[in-house]
C-alpha cells in the first residue's frame, strides 16, 4: 500500500474524504501580491512611504516589468494550481508620463496579456502612498480639496481598470482601497478627517460596475509608522462604511492589536456579508509583514473559511514584503503555506467535532483537534503536488537557488 493510500484510509476512518478535499483545494485561487518582488517600489516612484516599510537588502530585486514578470512566472511554476496576481496602480507599464489620477486600462495592458498567457486572474489596488501628494500622510481625508480631488480621481480611475481586468479575464477582480491617512500624535479633531474620507469614498463608489467584473473592498488598520496615534481609516470606520454601502471590509491579519486574531472575525463577517476579503500577512510584534508561516493562526483562519462554507465567497490575498531573503522563495513559501493551511482545514473532521461541541463534550473536541496534528497530512500534500504537476517540498528550493545564480545575482 502506498503512503498516500494509507493516509487516505486514516482520514476516511474519521469521516474525511481526501479526494474531495484535494478537488476543493484545486479550485481555490490565491492572489499573489506582485509587490513582494520589488520591495513595494513599483514603476512610478523610487521610494516607499505611507507608514509601511520593507527592510533588508538581499540581492536580486526586480527592477523593471520584465524582471518582475520573469520572477512571478518562476514563482508560479513552483506553486500548485492556477491563481491570481495582485497589482498596485504604481505598477503601470507605459512610457507616457502619466500621473496617478490619469491612469487608464491601456497602461496595464501588458499585465492583462501576461495574465492571459499564465491563465491567472488579476486583482487591483489604487496606490495612495509613495507619491508627492501623499507626503502629508493624508490623501482621501486631506483638508485641501484639491489634494482630495486628485486622489478621488485616482480611486475612480483604478476601479475602471479593475473592471477592465474582470471583463478581459472573465475572473472577478477585487479592487481594494487602503490609504495611509493618520497623525503621528494625538489629534485635535478625529471626526473631520473621517467625514472627509466618507465623502471621498462616496464619490469614488458612486460609479457602478458589473459585480461579475469588479468587487470593491476597503482595508482598515490600527496604526502605521509615523502615524502611530490616529488612523483615519480604522476598522470601525470601514466596517460601518462597508455595511452601509454594500462593500467588503477587507481584513489584513497584521492590522489589529497584537493579541487580536482575524480567525475569530471570519464567522461574523461571513454571516452578515456575501463576500469576504483577506490580506494574509504575519505581524511580528507589529504590522511587520513577514512571510506567512504554517502557524496555528494561519491554520485557524483556514479552518474558519472551511467551516463557514466561505471558500468560494472569500478573496484570499497575501500581503507581506521581506527584502532580507530571496524574494521568490518568500512568494513560494507563502503561497504553499496558504494552500497547506487550507488543505489541513479541509482534512479536519469538522462535522464530528461540531456534534461533540453541541453535546458539550469538550474533551472530545480537544482530543480530536490535537490528534489531528499527527495524522499523515504531509502525504496528502505530496499527492496534491503530484496531481498538479508541481514540485514537492524539498525539491522546489533547489530550483530557486539555481535561478538565483543564473538570474537574480546578476542584477545589481
Ligand atoms: C498596508 C496595507 C496594504 C499594503 C499593500 C501594499 O498596511 O496592508 O494592503 O500592504 O497595499
Ligand atoms: Zn494589507
Amino acid at each position: 500500500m502506498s503512503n498516500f493510500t494509507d493516509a487516505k484510509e486514516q482520514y476516511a476512518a474519521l469521516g474525511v474524504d481526501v479526494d474531495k478535499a484535494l478537488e476543493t483545494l484545486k479550485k481555490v485561487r490565491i492572489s499573489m501580491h506582485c509587490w513582494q518582488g520589488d520591495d513595494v517600489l513599483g514603476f512610478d516612484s523610487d521610494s516607499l512611504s505611507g507608514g509601511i516599510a520593507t527592510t533588508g537588502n538581499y540581492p536580486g530585486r526586480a527592477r523593471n516589468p520584465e524582471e518582475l514578470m520573469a520572477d512571478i512566472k518562476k514563482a508560479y511554476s513552483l506553486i500548485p494550481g492556477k491563481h491570481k496576481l495582485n497589482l498596485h496602480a504604481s505598477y503601470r507599464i507605459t512610457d507616457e508620463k502619466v500621473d496617478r489620477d490619469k491612469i487608464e486600462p491601456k497602461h496595464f495592458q501588458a499585465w492583462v496579456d501576461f495574465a492571459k498567457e499564465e491563465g491567472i486572474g488579476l486583482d487591483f489596488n489604487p496606490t495612495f502612498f509613495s507619491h508627492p501628494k501623499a507626503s502629508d500622510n493624508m490623501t482621501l481625508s486631506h483638508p485641501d480639496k484639491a489634494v482630495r480631488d486628485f486622489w478621488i480621481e485616482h480611486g475612480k480611475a483604478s476601479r475602471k481598470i479593475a473592471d477592465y481586468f474582470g471583463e478581459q479575464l472573465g475572473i472577478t477582480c477585487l479592487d481594494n482601497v487602503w490609504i495611509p491617512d493618520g497623525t503621528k500624535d494625538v489629534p485635535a479633531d478625529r471626526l473631520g478627517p473621517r467625514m472627509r474620507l466618507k465623502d471621498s469614498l462616496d464619490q469614488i463608489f458612486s460609479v457602478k460596475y458589473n459585480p461579475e467584473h469588479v468587487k470593491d473592498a476597503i482595508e482598515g488598520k490600527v496604526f502605521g509608522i509615523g502615524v502611530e496615534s490616529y488612523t483615519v481609516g480604522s476598522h470601525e470606520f470601514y466596517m460601518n462604511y462597508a455595511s452601509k454601502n454594500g462593500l467588503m471590509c477587507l481584513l489584513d491579519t497584521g492590522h489589529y492589536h497584537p493579541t487580536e486574531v482575524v480567525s475569530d472575525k471570519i464567522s461574523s463577517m461571513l454571516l452578515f456579508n456575501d463576500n469576504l476579503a483577506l490580506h494574509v500577512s504575519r505581524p511580528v510584534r507589529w504590522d511587520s509583514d513577514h512571510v506567512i508561516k504554517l502557524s496555528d493562526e494561519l491554520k485557524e483562519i483556514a479552518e474558519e473559511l472551511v467551516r463557514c462554507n466561505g471558500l468560494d465567497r472569500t478573496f484570499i490575498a497575501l500581503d507581506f514584503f521581506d527584502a532580507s531573503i530571496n524574494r521568490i522563495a518568500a512568494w513560494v513559501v507563502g503561497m504553499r503555506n496558504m494552500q497547506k493551511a487550507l488543505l489541513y482545514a479541509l482534512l479536519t473532521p469538522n462535522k464530528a467535532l461540531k456534534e461533540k461541541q453541541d453535546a458539550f463534550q469538550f474533551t472530545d473536541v480537544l482530543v480530536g483537534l490535537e490528534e489531528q496534528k499527527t495524522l499523515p497530512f504531509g502525504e496528502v500534500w505530496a499527492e496534491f503536488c503530484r496531481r498538479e504537476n508541481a514540485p514537492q517540498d524539498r525539491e522546489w528550493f533547489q530550483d530557486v537557488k539555481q535561478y538565483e545564480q543564473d538570474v537574480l545575482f546578476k542584477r545589481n
Side-chain angles (χ1 to χ4, degrees), residues 35 40 51-52 88 125 129 176 178 219 221 250 252 255 279 287 289 319 321:
W35 51 91
V40 209
I52 52 178
H88 246 284
N125 307 260
F129 52 85
N176 174 52
W178 172 74
E219 178 184 5
K221 183 166 174 170
L250 182 146
D252 181 308
H255 287 191
H279 270 185
D287 181 28
D289 291 295
D319 186 12
F321 23 97

Side-chain angles (χ1 to χ4, degrees), residues 18-29:
V18 167
D19 285 315
K20 202 172 140 214
L22 293 173
E23 275 309 304
T24 306
L25 181 61
K26 185 188 161 121
K27 293 191 210 115
V28 182
R29 282 183 189 269

Side-chain angles (χ1 to χ4, degrees), residues 299-313:
K299 284 190 222 162
E300 200 60 27
I301 286 171
E303 293 281 17
E304 285 300 308
L305 292 176
V306 170
R307 289 170 185 150
C308 301
N309 241 326
L311 277 187
D312 49 11
R313 298 192 281 146

Side-chain angles (χ1 to χ4, degrees), residues 23-78:
E23 275 309 304
T24 306
L25 181 61
K26 185 188 161 121
K27 293 191 210 115
V28 182
R29 282 183 189 269
I30 298 166
S31 193
M32 191 172 95
H33 52 315
C34 76
W35 51 91
Q36 165 63 69
D38 76 331
D39 310 341
V40 209
L41 284 175
F43 306 135
D44 71 350
S45 76
D46 44 29
S47 67
L48 178 60
S49 73
I52 52 178
T54 44
T55 53
N57 53 6
Y58 199 83
R61 182 184 88 79
R63 298 162 299 180
N64 53 50
E66 295 69 40
E67 291 180 354
L68 188 57
M69 283 182 189
D71 293 356
I72 290 168
K73 257 177 148 100
K74 176 47 82 183
Y76 281 142
S77 75
L78 306 173

Side-chain angles (χ1 to χ4, degrees), residues 2 20 45 49 57 96 123 145 156 162 173 234 252 262 273 294 309-310 330 349 397 411:
S2 79
K20 202 172 140 214
S45 76
S49 73
N57 53 6
E96 283 175 50
D123 288 323
K145 182 173 182 301
K156 287 186 164 178
C173 174
S234 62
D252 181 308
V262 163
N273 295 280
L294 187 55
N309 241 326
F397 189 39
R411 298 174 187 165

